[in-house]
Amino acid sequence: MSFLQVQKNIKKGILSPLYLLYGTETFLIEETIHKLLNKVLTEDQYDFNLSTYELKETPISAAVEEALTIPFMGTHRVVIVRDPQFLTGKDQSKVEHDLKAFENYITNPVPETIFIIVAPYEKLDERKKIVKLLKKEAEVLEATAFSETEMDKWLDGRVKKYDVEITKLGKEKLVQLLGNSLVMIAGEIEKLALYAGSGGVIDETVVQQLVSKTMEQDVFSLVDHVVHRRKKEALQVFYDLLKQKEEPIKILSLLARQFRILYQVKELSTRGYSQQQIAGTLKLHPYVVKLANQQGNLFDEKKLLLFIDELAETDYKIKTGKIEKQLALELFIIKVLGE
């Protein structure tokens, strides 16, 4: 089930006694837990009716025993178990887990208990009986990066809480600057909403002015200026990075990474991959793929490979002392602008 659907069900009070939350997007997992806790417990009930177990240290049987206990001074008990490595193919835990007792609970859960299994792994071992049983009986959230449509809906919902709106270009600029980090995006939205004020609009200009850029995003801007032949702007970003005491070798490394992304997106697009498939294959956000595709279209594949090779050669020359590092990067940027 999608994150947005799970959130919708919780809001409506459609709750499951079992939740399996797995995947690498921890923000979505923690947000779901937060919503569930707010729905079924008051803050003064946390001490009596909320229990969390780290399964690297505690056997699952302890959590099951707790889940069987009647709620105290409330209608629900919440039991959270974290890091269940026995759901994966790489269980390094030294704790003995009674999976039979857990299987029995999964097939006959206590209605008054919300049992949440938090598995922050990219994949579960689908061959295991316990995994199959959980996927059959529990409400499952696979916490992965949003698709473009999901990101749009999530952003709309997020800004609505602050009684503001966000434009399409505002969304794209926000994702371009912050990438897949939902934690950072959520924090920046709060700041942007306060600036826009109730009933206001967050547009591309507001995002550009207020969102703190990372070095990676400055390099992305540098590449964008380069591929669009904006020599003055490209060199200005480069010199600004140097003023910020950024190491030229690191800038070069990020430049190489960005040009590799352009090449990979172009190559996969040529093979007929969709934007969503490319995003999944390269583990990038669809917005990033969309922008990379637009940039990559300005060069053919041979030219992009040539730039990647030249960056590798520049790296070698710098590290062997054959050329001064700032000069080497300036020459590379000017050469690409002249192509």
Side-chain angles (χ1 to χ4, degrees), residues 70-336:
I70 297 171
F72 181 73
M73 295 179 64
T75 59
H76 285 87
R77 176 177 296 281
V78 178
V79 176
I80 303 171
V81 296
R82 293 181 178 273
D83 206 7
Q85 294 184 12
F86 54 76
L87 298 181
T88 72
K90 297 179 180 179
D91 187 356
Q92 299 177 339
S93 172
K94 296 179 181 179
V95 177
E96 290 289 331
H97 293 291
D98 185 354
L99 295 186
K100 187 63 180 176
F102 189 32
E103 289 170 5
N104 290 337
Y105 184 84
I106 292 170
T107 55
N108 190 27
V110 175
E112 292 81 13
T113 297
I114 305 293
F115 199 108
I116 305 170
I117 302 101
V118 179
Y121 320 121
E122 187 174 355
K123 292 181 181 179
L124 303 181
D125 191 341
E126 305 285 346
R127 300 166 297 178
K128 291 189 173 183
K129 178 183 177 182
I130 190 72
V131 174
K132 292 176 181 176
L133 190 61
L134 272 173
K135 287 205 166 185
K136 178 184 176 185
E137 301 294 339
E139 183 152 313
V140 180
L141 167 67
E142 185 179 359
T144 56
F146 283 147
S147 67
E148 188 173 350
T149 301
E150 289 170 333
M151 180 63 86
D152 274 345
K153 289 181 179 178
W154 180 75
L155 286 171
D156 286 335
R158 200 83 193 177
V159 300
K160 190 176 181 181
K161 295 197 306 183
Y162 301 101
D163 190 31
V164 297
E165 296 180 4
I166 185 167
T167 66
K168 185 175 185 299
L169 289 177
K171 294 175 188 176
E172 291 191 4
K173 178 58 69 174
L174 195 57
V175 174
Q176 178 189 331
L177 292 175
L178 300 176
N180 292 344
S181 178
L182 295 178
V183 174
M184 291 178 66
I185 291 174
E188 291 294 336
I189 283 176
E190 184 175 2
K191 181 174 74 176
L192 292 165
L194 286 171
Y195 176 83
S198 180
V201 176
I202 300 170
D203 59 17
E204 183 183 15
T205 302
V206 171
V207 173
Q208 184 70 45
Q209 288 174 344
L210 297 185
V211 171
S212 303
K213 294 190 287 295
T214 64
M215 181 184 174
E216 286 80 359
Q217 292 309 320
D218 281 330
V219 170
F220 182 92
S221 297
L222 172 58
V223 172
D224 192 58
H225 290 316
V226 166
V227 298
H228 286 95
R229 306 296 196 274
R230 296 190 287 261
K231 181 178 179 180
K232 181 180 176 182
E233 290 86 348
L235 290 172
Q236 186 61 58
V237 171
F238 174 60
Y239 295 138
D240 285 345
L241 284 167
L242 294 177
K243 286 178 185 176
Q244 294 165 26
K245 306 298 183 184
E246 297 293 355
E247 175 57 46
I249 289 292
K250 187 175 180 182
I251 298 172
L252 187 146
S253 175
L254 290 171
L255 272 174
R257 178 181 179 275
Q258 191 60 38
F259 274 104
R260 280 196 298 272
I261 288 173
L262 298 188
Y263 173 76
Q264 290 167 333
V265 168
K266 190 174 186 68
E267 173 68 16
L268 291 175
S269 181
T270 302
R271 293 187 197 175
Y273 280 57
S274 68
Q275 182 174 301
Q276 196 64 38
Q277 288 173 321
I278 295 172
T281 301
L282 300 181
K283 300 188 185 310
L284 299 170
H285 193 277
Y287 277 130
V288 176
V289 172
K290 179 181 177 181
L291 293 170
N293 200 30
Q294 291 171 353
Q295 292 178 335
N297 283 337
L298 298 173
F299 298 104
D300 60 37
E301 291 180 18
K302 289 183 179 179
K303 190 68 71 178
L304 288 172
L305 280 175
L306 177 63
F307 293 153
I308 294 169
D309 287 342
E310 288 184 356
L311 281 164
E313 181 66 18
T314 300
D315 181 65
Y316 172 76
K317 287 180 178 178
I318 291 172
K319 290 177 178 176
T320 55
K322 293 181 178 179
I323 190 170
E324 195 275 325
K325 49 192 175 183
Q326 179 175 333
L327 175 61
L329 275 173
E330 284 177 326
L331 291 175
F332 173 78
I333 291 168
I334 291 169
K335 178 170 184 177
V336 176

Side-chain angles (χ1 to χ4, degrees), residues 8-23:
K8 193 174 181 180
N9 286 350
I10 294 171
K11 187 175 182 180
K12 289 181 178 179
I14 305 171
L15 304 174
S16 169
L18 283 169
Y19 286 88
L20 171 60
L21 314 179
Y22 81 97

